[in-house]
């Protein structure tokens, strides 16, 4: 990788923005967005890059919140001095999506009418709504045009939506391990996760208390999701058919013990309602296929980089190629790379020198190429 340097200690910030009319007609007032920034905004405000996170991510994309923190932000391998998103060169903005549970407006926010958390009474949020909230945040910096919007998985959907919602507001768009719409299989995995939450005895129609959250259901949802993030090769390499360390009360196999751990640790950092809201936003996002997708992408006039991963069976390369084909059909400037990996869908999050080289090369390529 390009550099071992980190952006260091970063401060989480919150912006209280104006009213936002959502896709379903509801009005979010005020619109609160949690965010972090890395690097320095140029005097001309022309070096800003917005990084969009995936399903379980948040605004903490790089660096550390304190000296004692052991794990950096989720994309620290790629954001920092000398890295692909070079903070010596670019001003990086990362925000938590609305509908999430890490500081932006969402089900855990206080409803000003009741004085209690919204819970399941929070309005439905779409990918388009998430992007609209990000646009308000970007405008609050006085930035009229982003150098780039980038993201993987759900973040790639947001980046793609940016290119058509605000075509004059970005020069480049990077889409990693993503899709223009979910397939029936992708919806099915999310539906099983949601049903696990709804079946939890503590669900209470989404109006649960902090002292009795649907932990078991959310843990099961995470276990289901986590299976799809890895490849068969990675699971065989990591676990095979080995027994778990310790007793067999919870699982007969190491892979089962690992999934249980992933589920139990996830419930301490995520909210069940937010999981339902965000997965529904994913499932309802649809720009179509074929000619329908080509028409949907026609407003865009930025330059695109689309990256897929050979072992990703959740968002397979065929879905990335569908985006590329439609961009080419509508005469857009697009570069496509399929990286050979064994890591599965999570490949875009993991260290990969080829991925770093591709991103860096794209960002530093002259605009007219």
């Amino acid at each position: 990788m390009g550099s071992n340097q980190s952006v260091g200690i970063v401060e989480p910030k919150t912006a209280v923005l104006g009213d936002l009319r959502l896709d379903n007609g509801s009005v979010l007032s005020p619109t609160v967005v949690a965010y972090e920034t890395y690097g320095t905004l140029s005097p001309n405000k022309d070096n800003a890059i917005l990084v969009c996170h995936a399903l379980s991510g948040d605004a903490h994309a790089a660096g550390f919140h304190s000296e004692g923190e052991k794990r950096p932000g989720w994309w620290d391998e790629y954001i920092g001095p000398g890295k692909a998103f070079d903070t010596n060169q670019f001003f990086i903005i990362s925000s938590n999506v609305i509908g999430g549970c890490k500081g932006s407006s969402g089900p855990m926010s206080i409803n000003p009418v009741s004085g209690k958390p919204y819970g399941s009474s929070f309005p439905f949020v779409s990918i388009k709504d998430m992007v609209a909230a990000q646009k308000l945040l970007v405008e609050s910096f006085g930035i009229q045009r982003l150098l780039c919007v980038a993201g993987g998985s759900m973040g790639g959907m947001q980046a793609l939506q940016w290119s058509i919602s605000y075509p004059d507001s970005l020069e480049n768009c990077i889409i990693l391990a993503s899709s223009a719409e979910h397939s029936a299989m992708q919806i099915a995995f999310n539906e099983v996760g949601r049903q696990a939450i709804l079946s939890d005895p503590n669900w209470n129609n989404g109006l649960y208390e902090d002292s009795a959250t649907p932990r078991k259901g959310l843990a099961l949802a995470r276990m289901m999701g986590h299976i799809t993030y890895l490849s068969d090769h990675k699971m065989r390499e990591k676990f095979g058919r080995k027994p778990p360390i310790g007793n067999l009360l919870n699982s007969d196999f190491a892979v089962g013990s690992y999934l249980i751990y992933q589920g139990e640790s996830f419930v301490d950092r995520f909210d069940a309602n937010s999981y339902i809201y965000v997965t529904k936003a994913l499932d309802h996002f649809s720009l179509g296929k074929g000619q329908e997708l080509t028409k949907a992408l026609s407003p865009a006039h930025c330059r695109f980089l689309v990256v897929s991963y050979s072992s990703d069976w959740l968002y397979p390369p065929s879905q990335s190629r569908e985006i590329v084909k439609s961009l080419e059909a509508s005469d857009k400037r697009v570069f496509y790379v399929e990286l050979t990996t064994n890591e599965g869908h999570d490949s875009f999050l993991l260290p990969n020198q080829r991925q770093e080289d591709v991103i860096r090369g794209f960002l530093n390529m002259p605009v007219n190429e």
Side-chain angles (χ1 to χ4, degrees), residues 15-164:
V16 181
L17 305 167
D19 293 355
L20 178 64
R21 182 168 294 278
L22 303 176
D23 255 355
N24 70 350
S26 303
V27 176
L28 203 55
S29 180
T31 306
V32 179
V33 177
Y35 70 97
E36 292 181 10
T37 63
Y38 323 101
T40 304
L41 185 61
S42 64
N44 293 331
K45 301 185 177 183
D46 58 358
N47 69 331
I49 295 175
L50 177 69
V51 166
C52 306
H53 68 75
L55 168 60
S56 60
D58 52 36
H60 186 38
F64 299 87
H65 286 156
S66 66
E67 292 288 351
E69 192 176 23
K70 294 182 180 179
R71 294 187 65 181
W74 55 269
W75 229 13
D76 193 72
E77 292 286 349
Y78 293 91
I79 298 172
K83 298 181 182 179
F85 295 97
D86 189 351
T87 50
N88 292 328
Q89 183 179 359
F90 307 120
F91 178 66
I92 313 297
I93 306 167
S94 175
S95 66
N96 181 222
V97 297
I98 58 171
C101 55
K102 295 297 185 70
S104 294
S105 296
M108 295 183 74
S109 302
I110 300 299
N111 184 336
V113 176
S114 67
K116 296 181 178 180
Y118 278 98
S120 56
S121 69
F122 193 75
F124 175 80
V125 170
S126 67
I127 297 292
K128 189 176 180 180
D129 294 329
M130 294 174 181
V131 167
Q134 292 164 356
K135 182 68 161 61
L136 290 177
L137 175 65
V138 168
E139 288 175 345
S140 74
F141 286 96
I143 298 168
Q144 298 302 313
R145 187 174 172 86
L146 290 162
L147 178 65
C148 184
V149 180
S153 195
M154 185 181 84
M157 294 181 182
Q158 295 166 61
L160 193 58
Q161 184 65 54
W162 258 94
S163 74
I164 57 177

